[in-house]
Amino acid sequence: FFGRLRNMPNYRHVPIMVVSGFLNKDDFRLLQEYPCTSLVEKPFTKVIFEKCVDELVAEATWYGQNAALIDAVLKAVQYD
C-alpha cells in the first residue's frame, strides 16, 4: 500500500507518520528510501510527536518547492 501510494504523483510528498508499538526496525527499513516519511515508536511523548510532525511538514514543503528540479535530475540520470 505504501509503495503504491508513493507512486501516485498527487501523493508523492504527502507526509506519512508510521506509528508502531511493536517495532522491529528491519521491518520498516524501506521507509528510509521515501521522502516525507517518519517512523515513531510507541509510547512517545507530546514533544516527540510534535517534533516528528514539524520535521515531516518541513520536509514535505521542501520537496514540494523542489519537485521539478528533483524530477529533472532523476530523469537525467535514469539511463546512466
Side-chain angles (χ1 to χ4, degrees):
F1 173 76
F2 184 83
R4 288 188 299 181
L5 184 67
R6 284 296 189 222
N7 285 327
M8 295 180 193
N10 291 342
Y11 298 105
R12 283 177 39 195
H13 302 117
V14 171
I16 297 175
M17 180 187 305
V18 177
V19 179
S20 177
F22 302 101
L23 188 61
N24 180 349
K25 296 198 189 265
D26 288 336
D27 293 341
F28 296 100
R29 68 179 180 269
L30 289 177
L31 294 179
Q32 296 172 354
E33 297 180 17
Y34 292 96
C36 308
T37 305
S38 183
L39 178 61
V40 179
E41 186 174 5
K42 294 191 297 184
F44 53 86
T45 65
K46 178 182 173 187
V47 172
I48 291 172
F49 180 80
E50 288 174 345
K51 181 182 178 199
C52 182
V53 170
D54 290 343
E55 290 173 355
L56 282 171
V57 169
E59 188 176 3
T61 300
W62 185 88
Y63 272 97
Q65 293 170 344
N66 294 289
L69 179 60
I70 294 166
D71 290 343
V73 169
L74 290 175
K75 186 174 182 179
V77 299
Q78 180 178 11
Y79 299 107
D80 283 345

